[in-house]
Amino acid sequence: MKIDKSIIKELSDYLDEFNLTEIEITEKDTKIKVSKNNVSISNQPVATSANIQTGNENVSKKPNVKSGMEITSPIIGTAYHAPEPGAKKFVEVGKKIKKGDTIMIVEAMKTINHVPSTADGTVKEICVEDGHPVEFGQTIIILE
């Protein structure tokens, strides 16, 4: 079996970009699963698998330094910037908000959860794109 290393590299990049712990892709009879510590590749008909260590452990990474007050997601789900498609966004970069204002909604299991601001401030950065998944504790907004 020939392994396309570019797919593994691309999936590894997604782990960092979306702050995930693992990601899996299936094409025909090949399944590739990449997690923070290993890559697993298996062919379903043969029912074999191999663990491959990625070379990311030796690569020095710049720490992701963020200044300001971070507001994190209280739950796992899909983040939305507005109450419905086409509606006005809850917050935008540069907008002043108060503690308790809804900054985003996170949909989990068909339930809409309003995420309130935990502090007063001005929105410096929105860290998650509209309609993208978020994990518990992931930074979603940074305030000044």
Side-chain angles (χ1 to χ4, degrees):
M1 165 177 54
K2 176 131 174 78
I3 300 171
D4 186 356
K5 294 178 184 176
S6 65
I7 293 175
I8 295 172
K9 172 70 174 127
E10 185 176 350
L11 292 174
S12 295
D13 291 343
Y14 286 152
L15 289 177
D16 294 331
E17 184 178 344
F18 298 113
N19 196 22
L20 302 172
T21 54
E22 71 179 34
I23 189 168
E24 183 176 306
I25 185 172
T26 304
E27 290 182 5
K28 297 182 184 176
D29 62 346
T30 302
K31 178 168 60 172
I32 300 173
K33 180 177 179 182
V34 179
S35 67
K36 289 285 185 182
N37 295 322
N38 64 54
V39 177
S40 176
I41 301 172
S42 66
N43 282 338
Q44 297 299 342
V46 181
T48 61
S49 66
N51 286 333
I52 301 170
Q53 290 295 325
T54 60
N56 292 345
E57 291 79 21
N58 297 331
V59 177
S60 63
K61 294 183 181 178
K62 294 180 185 175
N64 200 0
V65 179
K66 297 178 182 176
S67 61
M69 172 69 176
E70 295 183 16
I71 300 177
T72 59
S73 177
I75 58 172
I76 296 172
T78 304
Y80 294 103
H81 294 183
E84 60 185 32
K88 183 180 174 190
K89 294 180 179 181
F90 293 111
V91 295
E92 300 210 24
V93 174
K95 181 179 178 184
K96 291 186 179 187
I97 60 173
K98 295 183 180 179
K99 184 176 181 177
D101 288 351
T102 298
I103 57 170
M104 202 171 285
I105 55 175
V106 177
E107 182 264 327
M109 298 179 63
K110 304 293 181 198
T111 302
I112 302 299
N113 302 280
H114 289 261
V115 179
S117 174
T118 55
D120 295 345
T122 303
V123 178
K124 180 178 180 181
E125 181 181 351
I126 299 173
C127 302
V128 64
E129 292 187 40
D130 190 37
H132 281 100
V134 293
E135 294 188 22
F136 172 78
Q138 178 180 344
T139 301
I140 54 176
I141 288 187
I142 299 176
L143 299 177
E144 290 183 316

